[in-house]
Amino acid sequence: MSASVMTAPELNEKIYSIVSSSNLRWVAGVCNGEVKAGTKNYPSNPSFSGYTLVMKNNISVGNVELIEGEYTLTSGENWVPIGTEKTPFSGAFDGTEFKVSGVFVCGTEKYNGFFGNVSNGTIQNLSVEGYVEGKVSVGGIAGRLYCGKISDCAFLGKVNGGEKTGGNVGEIIGTETNPSEVFLSVASCSITTFEGSSAGGIVGEAQFANIL
């Protein structure tokens, strides 16, 4: 399979305009190190702290079909989650009520979702459609949320994971003074777990979190 096409989105006063699959893959590439510092519109930090990313339209990153009971990627490439263990996503992502479809994540390690690891970041007004699989901290919207906020988000499809598996978020962690928050978010999906100790329709496991 050919390498993913990554295109830097338009940047204006720390606001990125996201209009294509290649823009989204560029964001993931910055977090995971595939996109190097010094290239066009590279942020001052690879976690996007202090930046806002705004979707301008619906975006398809692939084509996922349910074939004989199994979710299958029929075109496009596997989705690489935004935010890693080393470099979590810490910016503000506003889907502006648009949808990302065709997301297919088939990871074996932790932090799998459309977003992988989110720390002190916010995600809002976003719908994601597809299939997400992983081992630990697996969710349709995000695998892990630390001291962050997710609001008005929805996931449609299937989530299959081990420990800490949720329809929207796998693992949510906050602190007493800075709890994580998930507001007005829904998951319309099937959830299956293997060797899992915690699973839930919206959230798999939560500590110091407000979920409404």
Side-chain angles (χ1 to χ4, degrees), residues 33-122:
E34 286 187 76
V35 177
K36 303 304 180 184
T39 55
K40 180 182 177 181
N41 289 350
Y42 193 91
S44 60
N45 63 88
S47 288
F48 291 93
S49 179
Y51 290 84
T52 299
L53 292 74
V54 180
M55 280 181 61
K56 297 296 186 178
N57 46 260
N58 291 323
I59 297 174
S60 172
V61 297
N63 190 54
V64 178
E65 297 182 25
L66 188 60
I67 301 175
E68 296 182 354
E70 296 291 333
Y71 282 85
T72 305
L73 182 66
T74 57
S75 66
E77 301 177 39
N78 285 1
W79 176 251
V80 177
I82 298 171
T84 66
E85 182 171 16
K86 180 181 178 181
T87 308
F89 178 79
S90 301
F93 190 99
D94 189 350
T96 57
E97 299 185 359
F98 288 115
K99 178 173 70 174
V100 178
S101 60
V103 173
F104 191 85
V105 179
C106 198
T108 57
E109 301 303 322
K110 55 188 175 181
Y111 308 150
N112 285 286
F114 178 66
F115 287 85
N117 188 18
V118 179
S119 177
N120 293 289
T122 62

Coordinates of all heavy atoms in Angstrom, one line a residue, residues 33-122:
G33 N 5.3 12.2 14.3 CA 6.6 12.4 13.8 C 6.9 12.2 12.4 O 8.0 12.4 11.9
E34 N 5.9 11.8 11.6 CA 6.1 11.6 10.2 C 6.3 12.9 9.5 O 7.1 13.0 8.5 CB 4.9 10.9 9.5 CG 4.9 9.4 9.8 CD 3.8 8.7 9.0 OE1 4.0 8.5 7.8 OE2 2.7 8.4 9.6
V35 N 5.6 14.0 9.9 CA 5.8 15.3 9.3 C 6.9 16.0 10.2 O 6.7 16.1 11.4 CB 4.5 16.1 9.3 CG1 4.7 17.5 8.8 CG2 3.4 15.4 8.5
K36 N 7.9 16.6 9.6 CA 9.0 17.1 10.3 C 8.9 18.6 10.5 O 8.3 19.3 9.8 CB 10.3 16.8 9.5 CG 10.6 15.4 9.3 CD 10.6 14.5 10.5 CE 10.8 13.1 10.3 NZ 10.7 12.2 11.5
A37 N 9.5 19.1 11.7 CA 9.5 20.5 12.0 C 10.2 21.3 10.9 O 11.1 20.8 10.2 CB 10.2 20.7 13.3
G38 N 9.7 22.5 10.6 CA 10.3 23.3 9.6 C 9.6 23.2 8.3 O 9.8 24.0 7.4
T39 N 8.7 22.2 8.1 CA 7.9 22.1 6.9 C 6.7 23.1 6.9 O 6.4 23.7 7.9 CB 7.4 20.7 6.6 OG1 6.7 20.3 7.8 CG2 8.6 19.8 6.5
K40 N 6.1 23.2 5.8 CA 5.0 24.2 5.6 C 3.9 24.1 6.7 O 3.4 23.1 7.0 CB 4.3 24.0 4.2 CG 3.2 25.0 4.0 CD 2.5 24.8 2.6 CE 1.4 25.7 2.4 NZ 0.7 25.5 1.1
N41 N 3.7 25.3 7.3 CA 2.6 25.4 8.4 C 2.8 24.5 9.6 O 1.8 24.3 10.3 CB 1.2 25.3 7.7 CG 0.8 26.4 6.8 OD1 1.5 27.4 6.8 ND2 -0.2 26.2 6.1
Y42 N 4.0 24.0 9.8 CA 4.2 23.2 11.0 C 4.0 24.0 12.3 O 4.4 25.2 12.3 CB 5.6 22.7 11.0 CG 5.9 21.6 12.0 CD1 5.7 20.2 11.6 CD2 6.3 21.9 13.3 CE1 6.0 19.2 12.5 CE2 6.6 20.9 14.2 CZ 6.4 19.5 13.8 OH 6.6 18.5 14.7
P43 N 3.3 23.5 13.3 CA 3.0 24.3 14.5 C 4.2 24.5 15.3 O 5.2 23.8 15.1 CB 1.9 23.4 15.2 CG 2.2 22.0 14.8 CD 2.7 22.1 13.3
S44 N 4.1 25.4 16.3 CA 5.2 25.7 17.2 C 5.5 24.5 18.1 O 6.6 24.4 18.7 CB 5.0 26.9 18.0 OG 3.8 26.8 18.8
N45 N 4.5 23.6 18.2 CA 4.7 22.4 19.0 C 3.9 21.2 18.4 O 2.8 21.5 17.8 CB 4.3 22.6 20.5 CG 2.8 22.9 20.6 OD1 2.0 22.0 20.7 ND2 2.5 24.2 20.6
P46 N 4.4 20.0 18.4 CA 3.7 18.9 17.6 C 2.4 18.4 18.3 O 1.7 17.6 17.7 CB 4.8 17.8 17.6 CG 5.7 18.1 18.8 CD 5.7 19.6 18.9
S47 N 2.1 18.9 19.5 CA 0.9 18.5 20.1 C -0.3 19.5 19.8 O -1.4 19.3 20.2 CB 1.1 18.5 21.7 OG 1.8 17.4 22.1
F48 N 0.0 20.5 19.0 CA -0.9 21.6 18.6 C -1.5 22.3 19.8 O -2.6 22.9 19.7 CB -2.1 20.9 17.8 CG -1.7 20.4 16.5 CD1 -1.3 19.1 16.3 CD2 -1.7 21.3 15.4 CE1 -0.9 18.7 15.0 CE2 -1.3 20.9 14.1 CZ -0.9 19.5 13.9
S49 N -0.8 22.4 20.9 CA -1.2 23.2 22.0 C -1.3 24.7 21.6 O -0.3 25.2 21.1 CB -0.3 23.0 23.2 OG -0.7 23.8 24.3
G50 N -2.4 25.3 21.9 CA -2.6 26.7 21.5 C -3.2 26.9 20.2 O -3.4 28.1 19.7
Y51 N -3.4 25.8 19.4 CA -4.0 25.9 18.1 C -5.4 25.4 18.0 O -5.8 24.5 18.8 CB -3.1 25.1 17.1 CG -1.8 25.7 16.8 CD1 -0.7 25.5 17.7 CD2 -1.5 26.5 15.7 CE1 0.5 26.0 17.5 CE2 -0.3 27.0 15.5 CZ 0.7 26.8 16.3 OH 2.0 27.3 16.1
T52 N -6.2 25.9 17.1 CA -7.6 25.4 16.9 C -7.6 24.8 15.4 O -7.1 25.4 14.5 CB -8.6 26.5 17.0 OG1 -8.5 27.0 18.3 CG2 -10.0 26.0 16.7
L53 N -8.2 23.6 15.3 CA -8.4 23.0 14.0 C -9.9 22.9 13.7 O -10.7 22.4 14.5 CB -7.8 21.6 14.0 CG -6.3 21.4 14.1 CD1 -5.8 21.8 15.6 CD2 -5.8 20.1 13.8
V54 N -10.3 23.5 12.6 CA -11.7 23.6 12.3 C -12.0 22.9 11.0 O -11.5 23.2 9.9 CB -12.1 25.1 12.2 CG1 -13.6 25.2 11.8 CG2 -11.8 25.8 13.4
M55 N -13.0 21.9 11.0 CA -13.4 21.2 9.8 C -14.4 22.1 9.1 O -15.2 22.8 9.6 CB -14.1 19.9 10.2 CG -13.1 18.8 10.5 SD -13.9 17.2 10.8 CE -14.9 16.9 9.3
K56 N -14.2 22.1 7.7 CA -15.0 23.0 6.9 C -16.1 22.2 6.1 O -16.9 22.8 5.4 CB -14.1 23.8 5.9 CG -13.2 24.7 6.6 CD -13.9 25.8 7.4 CE -13.0 26.9 7.9 NZ -13.7 28.0 8.6
N57 N -16.0 20.9 6.1 CA -16.9 20.0 5.3 C -16.8 18.6 5.8 O -15.9 18.3 6.6 CB -16.5 20.1 3.8 CG -15.1 20.0 3.5 OD1 -14.4 21.0 3.3 ND2 -14.5 18.8 3.6
N58 N -17.7 17.7 5.3 CA -17.6 16.3 5.6 C -16.3 15.8 4.9 O -16.0 16.2 3.8 CB -18.8 15.6 5.0 CG -20.0 15.9 5.8 OD1 -20.0 16.1 7.0 ND2 -21.2 15.9 5.1
I59 N -15.7 14.8 5.5 CA -14.4 14.2 4.9 C -14.5 12.7 5.0 O -14.8 12.2 6.1 CB -13.2 14.8 5.7 CG1 -13.1 16.3 5.5 CG2 -11.9 14.1 5.2 CD1 -12.0 16.9 6.4
S60 N -14.1 12.1 3.9 CA -14.0 10.6 3.9 C -12.5 10.3 3.9 O -11.8 10.8 3.0 CB -14.7 10.0 2.7 OG -14.4 8.7 2.5
V61 N -12.1 9.4 4.8 CA -10.7 9.0 4.8 C -10.5 7.6 4.3 O -9.4 7.1 4.3 CB -10.1 9.1 6.2 CG1 -10.1 10.6 6.7 CG2 -10.8 8.2 7.2
G62 N -11.6 7.0 3.8 CA -11.5 5.6 3.3 C -12.9 5.1 3.1 O -13.9 5.9 3.2
N63 N -13.1 3.9 2.7 CA -14.4 3.3 2.6 C -14.5 2.0 3.4 O -13.7 1.0 3.1 CB -14.7 3.0 1.1 CG -16.2 2.6 0.9 OD1 -17.1 3.4 1.3 ND2 -16.4 1.5 0.3
V64 N -15.4 2.0 4.4 CA -15.5 0.8 5.3 C -16.9 0.2 5.0 O -17.9 0.9 5.1 CB -15.3 1.2 6.8 CG1 -15.5 0.0 7.7 CG2 -13.9 1.8 7.0
E65 N -17.0 -1.1 4.7 CA -18.2 -1.7 4.5 C -18.4 -2.9 5.4 O -17.4 -3.6 5.8 CB -18.3 -2.2 3.0 CG -18.3 -1.1 2.0 CD -18.4 -1.6 0.6 OE1 -19.0 -2.7 0.4 OE2 -17.9 -0.9 -0.3
L66 N -19.6 -3.2 5.7 CA -20.0 -4.4 6.5 C -20.2 -5.6 5.6 O -21.2 -5.6 4.9 CB -21.2 -4.1 7.4 CG -21.6 -5.2 8.4 CD1 -20.5 -5.4 9.4 CD2 -22.9 -4.8 9.2
I67 N -19.3 -6.5 5.5 CA -19.3 -7.6 4.6 C -19.4 -8.9 5.3 O -18.5 -9.2 6.1 CB -18.1 -7.6 3.6 CG1 -18.1 -6.3 2.8 CG2 -18.2 -8.8 2.7 CD1 -16.9 -6.1 1.9
E68 N -20.5 -9.6 5.2 CA -20.7 -10.9 5.9 C -20.4 -10.7 7.4 O -19.8 -11.6 8.0 CB -19.8 -12.0 5.3 CG -20.2 -12.3 3.8 CD -19.3 -13.4 3.3 OE1 -18.4 -13.9 4.0 OE2 -19.6 -13.9 2.1
G69 N -20.9 -9.7 7.9 CA -20.8 -9.4 9.4 C -19.5 -8.8 9.9 O -19.4 -8.6 11.1
E70 N -18.6 -8.6 9.0 CA -17.3 -8.0 9.4 C -17.1 -6.7 8.7 O -17.3 -6.5 7.5 CB -16.2 -9.0 8.9 CG -16.2 -10.3 9.6 CD -15.9 -10.3 11.1 OE1 -15.2 -9.3 11.5 OE2 -16.4 -11.1 11.9
Y71 N -16.6 -5.7 9.5 CA -16.2 -4.4 9.0 C -14.9 -4.5 8.2 O -13.9 -5.0 8.7 CB -16.1 -3.4 10.1 CG -17.4 -2.9 10.6 CD1 -18.1 -3.6 11.6 CD2 -18.0 -1.7 10.0 CE1 -19.3 -3.1 12.0 CE2 -19.2 -1.3 10.5 CZ -19.9 -2.0 11.5 OH -21.1 -1.5 11.9
T72 N -14.9 -4.1 6.9 CA -13.8 -4.3 6.0 C -13.5 -3.0 5.3 O -14.4 -2.2 4.9 CB -14.2 -5.3 4.9 OG1 -14.6 -6.5 5.6 CG2 -13.0 -5.6 4.0
L73 N -12.2 -2.7 5.3 CA -11.7 -1.5 4.5 C -11.6 -1.9 3.1 O -10.7 -2.7 2.7 CB -10.3 -1.1 5.1 CG -9.7 0.2 4.4 CD1 -10.5 1.4 4.8 CD2 -8.3 0.3 4.9
T74 N -12.5 -1.4 2.2 CA -12.5 -1.7 0.8 C -11.8 -0.8 -0.1 O -11.4 -1.1 -1.2 CB -14.0 -1.8 0.3 OG1 -14.6 -0.6 0.6 CG2 -14.7 -2.9 1.1
S75 N -11.5 0.4 0.4 CA -10.6 1.4 -0.3 C -10.0 2.4 0.7 O -10.6 2.6 1.8 CB -11.4 2.1 -1.4 OG -12.4 2.9 -0.9
G76 N -8.9 2.9 0.3 CA -8.2 3.8 1.2 C -7.2 3.1 2.1 O -6.9 2.0 1.8
E77 N -6.8 3.8 3.1 CA -5.7 3.2 4.0 C -6.2 3.2 5.4 O -7.1 4.0 5.8 CB -4.4 4.1 3.9 CG -3.9 4.1 2.5 CD -2.7 5.0 2.4 OE1 -1.8 5.0 3.3 OE2 -2.5 5.7 1.4
N78 N -5.6 2.3 6.2 CA -5.8 2.3 7.7 C -5.6 3.7 8.2 O -4.7 4.4 7.8 CB -4.9 1.4 8.4 CG -5.3 -0.1 8.2 OD1 -6.2 -0.4 7.5 ND2 -4.5 -1.0 8.7
W79 N -6.5 4.1 9.1 CA -6.3 5.4 9.8 C -5.3 5.3 10.9 O -5.3 4.4 11.7 CB -7.7 5.9 10.4 CG -7.6 7.2 11.1 CD1 -7.7 7.3 12.5 CD2 -7.3 8.4 10.6 NE1 -7.5 8.7 12.8 CE2 -7.2 9.4 11.6 CE3 -7.1 8.9 9.2 CZ2 -7.0 10.7 11.4 CZ3 -6.8 10.3 9.1 CH2 -6.8 11.1 10.1
V80 N -4.4 6.3 10.9 CA -3.4 6.4 12.0 C -4.0 7.5 13.0 O -4.2 8.6 12.7 CB -2.1 6.9 11.5 CG1 -1.1 7.1 12.6 CG2 -1.5 5.9 10.5
P81 N -4.2 7.1 14.3 CA -4.9 8.0 15.2 C -4.1 9.2 15.4 O -2.8 9.2 15.4 CB -4.9 7.1 16.5 CG -5.0 5.7 16.0 CD -4.1 5.7 14.8
I82 N -4.8 10.3 15.7 CA -4.2 11.6 16.0 C -3.8 11.6 17.5 O -4.6 11.5 18.4 CB -5.1 12.8 15.7 CG1 -5.5 12.8 14.2 CG2 -4.5 14.1 16.2 CD1 -6.6 13.8 13.9
G83 N -2.5 11.8 17.8 CA -2.0 11.8 19.2 C -1.4 10.5 19.6 O -2.1 9.5 19.6
T84 N -0.2 10.5 20.1 CA 0.5 9.3 20.5 C 0.8 9.3 22.0 O 0.5 10.3 22.7 CB 1.8 9.1 19.7 OG1 2.7 10.2 20.1 CG2 1.6 9.1 18.2
E85 N 1.4 8.3 22.5 CA 1.8 8.3 23.9 C 2.8 9.3 24.2 O 2.8 10.1 25.2 CB 2.3 6.9 24.3 CG 2.7 6.8 25.8 CD 3.0 5.3 26.2 OE1 3.2 4.5 25.3 OE2 3.1 5.1 27.4
K86 N 3.8 9.5 23.2 CA 4.8 10.4 23.4 C 4.3 11.9 23.1 O 4.7 12.8 23.8 CB 6.0 10.1 22.4 CG 7.2 11.1 22.5 CD 8.2 10.6 21.5 CE 9.4 11.6 21.5 NZ 10.5 11.3 20.6
T87 N 3.5 12.0 22.1 CA 3.0 13.3 21.7 C 1.5 13.3 21.6 O 0.9 13.1 20.5 CB 3.6 13.7 20.3 OG1 5.1 13.6 20.4 CG2 3.3 15.2 20.0
P88 N 0.8 13.5 22.7 CA -0.6 13.5 22.6 C -1.1 14.8 21.9 O -0.4 15.8 21.8 CB -1.0 13.6 24.1 CG 0.1 14.2 24.8 CD 1.4 13.8 24.0
F89 N -2.4 14.7 21.5 CA -3.0 15.9 20.9 C -3.5 16.8 22.0 O -4.2 16.4 22.9 CB -4.2 15.5 20.0 CG -4.9 16.7 19.4 CD1 -4.4 17.4 18.3 CD2 -6.1 17.2 20.0 CE1 -5.1 18.5 17.8 CE2 -6.8 18.3 19.4 CZ -6.3 18.9 18.3
S90 N -3.1 18.1 22.0 CA -3.4 19.1 23.1 C -4.1 20.3 22.5 O -4.2 21.3 23.2 CB -2.2 19.4 23.9 OG -1.6 18.3 24.4
G91 N -4.5 20.3 21.3 CA -5.2 21.4 20.7 C -6.7 21.4 20.9 O -7.2 20.6 21.7
A92 N -7.3 22.3 20.1 CA -8.8 22.3 20.1 C -9.3 21.9 18.7 O -8.9 22.5 17.7 CB -9.3 23.7 20.4
F93 N -10.1 20.9 18.6 CA -10.6 20.4 17.4 C -12.1 20.6 17.3 O -12.8 20.1 18.1 CB -10.3 18.9 17.2 CG -10.5 18.3 15.8 CD1 -9.5 18.2 14.9 CD2 -11.8 18.0 15.4 CE1 -9.7 17.7 13.6 CE2 -12.1 17.5 14.1 CZ -11.0 17.4 13.2
D94 N -12.5 21.4 16.3 CA -14.0 21.6 16.2 C -14.4 21.1 14.8 O -14.1 21.5 13.8 CB -14.2 23.2 16.2 CG -15.7 23.5 16.2 OD1 -16.5 22.6 16.1 OD2 -16.0 24.7 16.5
G95 N -15.3 20.0 14.9 CA -15.8 19.4 13.7 C -16.9 20.2 13.1 O -17.3 19.9 12.0
T96 N -17.4 21.2 13.7 CA -18.5 22.1 13.3 C -19.7 21.3 12.7 O -20.2 21.7 11.7 CB -18.0 23.2 12.2 OG1 -17.4 22.5 11.1 CG2 -16.9 24.1 12.9
E97 N -20.0 20.2 13.4 CA -21.1 19.3 13.0 C -20.9 18.6 11.7 O -21.9 18.1 11.1 CB -22.4 20.1 13.1 CG -22.7 20.7 14.4 CD -24.0 21.4 14.5 OE1 -24.8 21.4 13.5 OE2 -24.4 21.9 15.6
F98 N -19.7 18.5 11.2 CA -19.4 17.7 10.1 C -19.0 16.3 10.5 O -18.7 16.0 11.7 CB -18.3 18.3 9.2 CG -18.8 19.6 8.5 CD1 -18.3 20.8 8.7 CD2 -19.8 19.5 7.5 CE1 -18.7 21.9 8.1 CE2 -20.3 20.6 6.8 CZ -19.7 21.8 7.1
K99 N -18.8 15.4 9.5 CA -18.6 14.0 9.8 C -17.3 13.5 9.1 O -17.0 13.9 7.9 CB -19.7 13.1 9.3 CG -19.5 11.6 9.5 CD -20.7 10.8 9.2 CE -21.1 10.8 7.7 NZ -22.2 9.9 7.4
V100 N -16.5 12.7 9.8 CA -15.4 12.0 9.2 C -15.8 10.5 9.0 O -16.2 9.9 10.0 CB -14.1 12.1 10.1 CG1 -13.0 11.3 9.5 CG2 -13.7 13.5 10.3
S101 N -15.8 10.0 7.8 CA -16.3 8.7 7.5 C -15.1 7.8 7.0 O -14.1 8.3 6.6 CB -17.4 8.7 6.5 OG -17.0 9.3 5.3
G102 N -15.3 6.5 7.0 CA -14.3 5.6 6.5 C -13.1 5.4 7.4 O -12.1 5.0 6.9
V103 N -13.3 5.7 8.7 CA -12.2 5.5 9.6 C -12.0 4.0 9.9 O -13.0 3.3 10.3 CB -12.4 6.3 10.9 CG1 -11.4 5.9 11.9 CG2 -12.5 7.7 10.6
F104 N -10.8 3.5 9.7 CA -10.5 2.0 9.9 C -9.2 2.0 10.7 O -8.2 2.2 10.2 CB -10.5 1.3 8.6 CG -10.4 -0.2 8.8 CD1 -11.6 -1.0 8.9 CD2 -9.2 -0.9 8.9 CE1 -11.6 -2.3 9.1 CE2 -9.2 -2.3 9.0 CZ -10.4 -3.0 9.2
V105 N -9.3 1.7 12.0 CA -8.2 1.6 12.9 C -8.0 0.1 13.3 O -8.9 -0.4 13.9 CB -8.3 2.5 14.1 CG1 -7.1 2.3 15.0 CG2 -8.5 3.9 13.7
C106 N -6.9 -0.5 13.0 CA -6.7 -1.8 13.4 C -5.3 -1.9 14.1 O -4.3 -2.4 13.5 CB -6.7 -2.7 12.1 SG -6.9 -4.5 12.5
G107 N -5.3 -1.4 15.3 CA -4.0 -1.3 16.1 C -3.9 -2.5 17.0 O -4.9 -3.2 17.3
T108 N -2.7 -2.7 17.5 CA -2.5 -3.8 18.5 C -2.1 -3.3 19.9 O -2.3 -4.0 20.8 CB -1.4 -4.8 18.0 OG1 -0.2 -4.0 17.8 CG2 -1.9 -5.5 16.7
E109 N -1.7 -2.0 19.9 CA -1.2 -1.5 21.2 C -2.3 -0.6 21.7 O -3.5 -0.6 21.4 CB 0.1 -0.7 21.0 CG 1.2 -1.6 20.4 CD 1.5 -2.8 21.3 OE1 1.4 -2.7 22.6 OE2 1.7 -3.9 20.8
K110 N -1.9 0.3 22.7 CA -2.9 1.2 23.3 C -3.1 2.5 22.6 O -2.3 2.8 21.7 CB -2.4 1.5 24.8 CG -1.0 2.1 24.9 CD -0.6 2.1 26.3 CE 0.8 2.6 26.5 NZ 1.3 2.6 27.9
Y111 N -4.2 3.1 23.0 CA -4.6 4.4 22.4 C -5.0 4.4 21.0 O -4.3 4.8 20.1 CB -3.5 5.5 22.6 CG -2.9 5.6 24.0 CD1 -1.6 5.9 24.3 CD2 -3.7 5.3 25.1 CE1 -1.1 6.0 25.6 CE2 -3.2 5.4 26.4 CZ -1.9 5.7 26.6 OH -1.4 5.8 27.9
N112 N -6.1 3.7 20.8 CA -6.7 3.6 19.4 C -8.1 4.2 19.3 O -8.9 4.0 20.1 CB -6.7 2.1 19.0 CG -5.4 1.6 18.6 OD1 -4.8 1.9 17.6 ND2 -4.8 0.8 19.5
G113 N -8.3 5.1 18.3 CA -9.5 5.7 18.0 C -9.3 6.7 16.9 O -8.2 6.7 16.3
F114 N -10.2 7.5 16.5 CA -9.9 8.6 15.5 C -8.8 9.4 16.1 O -7.8 9.8 15.4 CB -11.2 9.4 15.2 CG -10.9 10.5 14.3 CD1 -10.6 10.2 13.0 CD2 -11.0 11.8 14.7 CE1 -10.3 11.3 12.1 CE2 -10.7 12.9 13.8 CZ -10.4 12.6 12.5
F115 N -9.0 9.8 17.4 CA -7.8 10.4 18.2 C -7.3 9.3 19.0 O -8.0 8.5 19.6 CB -8.3 11.5 19.1 CG -8.7 12.8 18.4 CD1 -9.9 13.0 17.8 CD2 -7.7 13.8 18.2 CE1 -10.2 14.1 17.1 CE2 -8.0 15.0 17.6 CZ -9.3 15.1 17.0
G116 N -6.0 9.2 19.1 CA -5.4 8.2 20.0 C -5.3 8.6 21.4 O -5.9 8.1 22.3
N117 N -4.4 9.6 21.7 CA -4.2 10.1 23.0 C -4.4 11.6 23.0 O -3.7 12.3 22.3 CB -2.7 9.7 23.4 CG -2.4 10.0 24.9 OD1 -3.4 10.2 25.7 ND2 -1.2 10.1 25.2
V118 N -5.3 12.1 23.9 CA -5.6 13.5 24.0 C -5.3 13.9 25.4 O -5.8 13.4 26.3 CB -7.1 13.8 23.7 CG1 -7.4 15.3 23.8 CG2 -7.4 13.3 22.3
S119 N -4.5 15.0 25.5 CA -4.1 15.5 26.8 C -4.3 17.0 26.9 O -3.7 17.7 26.1 CB -2.6 15.1 27.1 OG -2.2 15.7 28.4
N120 N -5.2 17.4 27.8 CA -5.5 18.9 27.9 C -6.0 19.5 26.5 O -5.7 20.6 26.2 CB -4.2 19.7 28.3 CG -3.9 19.3 29.8 OD1 -4.5 19.7 30.7 ND2 -2.8 18.6 29.9
G121 N -6.6 18.6 25.8 CA -7.2 19.1 24.5 C -8.7 19.0 24.5 O -9.3 18.5 25.4
T122 N -9.3 19.6 23.5 CA -10.8 19.6 23.4 C -11.2 19.1 22.0 O -10.6 19.4 21.0 CB -11.4 21.0 23.7 OG1 -10.9 21.9 22.7 CG2 -11.0 21.5 25.0

